[in-house]
Amino acid sequence: MSGTAESAPATGQEQLWSVDEHLADILAAVRPLDPIELQLPDAQGCVLVEDVTVPVALPPFDNSSMDGYAVRTADVAGATEEFPASLTVVGDVAAGGGSLPRVGPGEAARIMTGAPLPPGAEAVVPVEWTDGGTGGGAATTMRPAGEGPDGASGEVRVYRSVEARGHVRARGSDVQAGDLALEAGTVLGPPQIGLLAAIGRGTVRVHPRPRVVVLSTGSELVQPGEQLGEGQIYDSNSFALTAAARDAGAIAYRVGAVTDDADTLRATIEDQLIRADMVVTTGGVSVGAYDVVKEALSSVGDEDEAGSGIDFRKLAMQPGKPQGFGSIGREHTPLLALPGNPVSSYVSFELFVRPAIRTLMGLEDVHRPTVRATLVADKPLSSPAGRRQFLRGTYDAEAGAITPVGGSGSHLVAALAHADALIVIPEESTSVDPGTELDVVLIG
């Protein structure tokens, strides 16, 4: 993983990479993580690597959808409250119970929801349509199987008729044996985990969720909850990007802010590689005297490891011009170095890190959805020539409109918190009038 793809522009001090070139270089170097077999509870959020077929029908047997009585339809034909059908109760059928009583002419078996339909029975009469075996009026509840003299013995009065297969869930009515349960590429959420359990799968083969280590740099950074000193600010980037990594599907680890010391940063990153499928840094990638990430990682490549190293670039975008990408360590762990301004780092994450994480997961669609929307604003929006600008906005899907939130400053984190979309102003535009249709990246 070199960070120097063939599609890259010629190097030069003032050479700018386009957003698309930088993203293509990242995605060309990142590969899905090797598949592993996981227990179902551990597979949530992972991506299937193979089709899963149904080994047994669901449900595996005809069963009752109601608490009531299993009957023959002929025995309750024409039954009314005035002229009920009286049937002899021959036994109880509970879900997961043992042997089943046979229901013959003039007989019924008390049955619970989910219990198998006993032999001879053709339908289930809900308990509310009977006297529950009490000899009184219509029942409102049903006692547990085998409880009381009015349960598996005596008689029950039925006040309504029922059609054949009434209140019966047919075997295989959900899925049949041999059906495709889930396709390869499916992300396993709660319903998919439930289906796998229902068909008897205890483990499943998936791409694991990538482990992403996020760390911020800067001697001025203080952890939230601590007292601010002169010239200090709270470390928000590592919290925002760790949350963003989790939102993308990763297992994310946040490392406390590292001071502006190249040796300390290099050692910290090397220590984190044991638990990282990807490393994301924020801050220290520009041209300042204390841009520690650039200083620490510019020569980190191992001369004996082909393709290692971090390439620092300038991109034709705003915010987020300075970027770094490459690999580190023996396993060639991908590292993305993002700028330190809050909005710059978050926009960079959405454009570059999120697609890389989702590529590691084995997903085919790795990008946020993009729509066209009409700009709603009080005045034209300005944009620097030759730069693709990303502004925060709120998207109205019903109206197909996008409204800017806050200004263009890369430090305006409050505006970012109220945005659910990024407004994309293309490189060739220096001014965009209200009413113009633009691309909008949905991030909410």
Side-chain angles (χ1 to χ4, degrees):
M1 184 181 301
S2 65
T4 54
E6 292 182 3
S7 60
T11 57
Q13 189 172 1
E14 297 302 322
Q15 178 67 53
L16 294 181
W17 287 59
S18 73
V19 171
D20 296 334
E21 287 168 339
H22 184 58
L23 177 59
D25 191 41
I26 293 170
L27 297 185
V30 175
R31 295 287 182 269
L33 298 177
D34 291 338
I36 59 175
E37 192 83 12
L38 290 179
Q39 298 286 332
L40 289 190
D42 300 322
Q44 183 173 351
C46 296
V47 177
L48 274 177
V49 299
E50 58 191 5
D51 293 344
V52 175
T53 56
V54 179
V56 293
L58 287 183
F61 47 81
D62 292 349
N63 70 90
S64 176
S65 65
M66 305 285 288
D67 290 338
Y69 290 85
V71 300
R72 291 157 43 96
T73 55
D75 291 336
V76 296
T80 64
E81 290 189 16
E82 186 178 0
F83 300 104
S86 294
L87 304 176
T88 300
V89 180
V90 296
D92 277 327
V93 184
S99 60
L100 303 178
R102 173 170 288 278
V103 177
E107 296 177 340
R110 196 166 66 150
I111 192 168
M112 309 301 163
T113 302
L117 191 70
E122 300 169 320
V124 172
V125 176
V127 67
E128 295 84 358
W129 295 5
T130 76
D131 67 353
T134 64
T140 57
T141 61
M142 196 168 194
R143 297 178 181 178
E147 181 181 297
D150 55 347
S153 61
E155 290 189 341
V156 63
R157 293 179 181 179
V158 180
Y159 301 126
R160 290 175 61 176
S161 61
V162 65
E163 296 180 354
R165 311 295 293 175
H167 305 107
V168 173
R169 302 170 179 145
R171 179 183 184 275
S173 56
D174 190 353
V175 289
Q176 295 281 353
D179 285 352
L180 178 64
L182 296 171
E183 291 182 298
T186 299
V187 179
L188 299 181
Q192 292 76 32
I193 296 291
L195 174 58
L196 290 167
I199 63 175
R201 288 291 293 264
T203 64
V204 67
R205 192 163 176 79
V206 296
H207 292 293
R209 294 168 61 198
R211 301 163 301 164
V212 176
V213 171
V214 177
L215 59 89
S216 54
T217 65
S219 298
E220 77 281 10
L221 298 178
V222 174
Q223 296 307 296
E226 297 179 4
Q227 187 68 35
L228 282 179
E230 186 70 26
Q232 294 181 322
I233 60 173
Y234 287 119
D235 171 20
S236 63
N237 284 2
S238 67
F239 286 90
L241 299 187
T242 301
R246 289 177 182 146
D247 182 70
I251 299 170
Y253 305 104
R254 191 190 71 85
V255 178
V258 181
T259 58
D260 289 322
D261 179 80
D263 292 335
T264 301
L265 175 62
R266 193 180 299 112
T268 301
I269 293 176
E270 289 174 353
D271 287 344
Q272 293 296 321
L273 291 180
I274 192 171
R275 64 170 180 174
D277 297 307
M278 175 184 290
V279 176
V280 178
T281 68
T282 171
V285 295
S286 190
V287 294
Y290 296 99
D291 287 327
V292 64
V293 174
K294 195 170 184 180
E295 179 185 351
L297 301 182
S298 289
S299 59
V300 78
D302 186 339
E303 62 182 11
D304 296 326
E305 294 287 339
S308 65
I310 309 298
D311 184 27
F312 290 90
R313 310 164 174 174
K314 295 178 181 179
L315 269 60
M317 65 179 286
Q318 185 184 47
K321 180 179 179 181
Q323 301 283 338
F325 170 65
S327 69
I328 186 171
R330 294 182 178 180
E331 301 298 323
H332 296 281
T333 302
L335 184 146
L336 286 88
L338 311 182
N341 279 317
V343 176
S344 300
S345 69
Y346 188 77
V347 169
S348 300
F349 183 97
E350 287 290 339
L351 296 179
F352 308 123
V353 183
R354 182 183 173 92
I357 288 174
R358 296 177 72 77
T359 298
L360 287 173
M361 293 176 65
L363 290 165
E364 292 187 6
D365 185 5
V366 300
H367 301 287
R368 289 284 199 183
T370 299
V371 298
R372 298 285 286 179
T374 301
L375 177 64
V376 176
D378 297 331
K379 59 183 180 180
L381 302 181
S382 60
S383 186
R387 305 287 179 88
R388 187 180 302 180
Q389 183 168 217
F390 297 88
L391 299 174
R392 282 76 71 204
T394 56
Y395 175 61
D396 184 340
E398 185 174 345
I402 185 71
T403 304
V405 176
S408 60
S410 58
H411 64 291
L412 301 176
V413 67
L416 181 62
H418 297 283
D420 60 11
L422 296 177
I423 305 169
V424 184
I425 300 181
E427 291 87 341
E428 64 272 13
S429 298
T430 57
S431 180
V432 178
D433 293 326
T436 302
E437 191 175 70
L438 296 168
D439 281 341
V440 171
V441 181
L442 304 182
I443 61 173

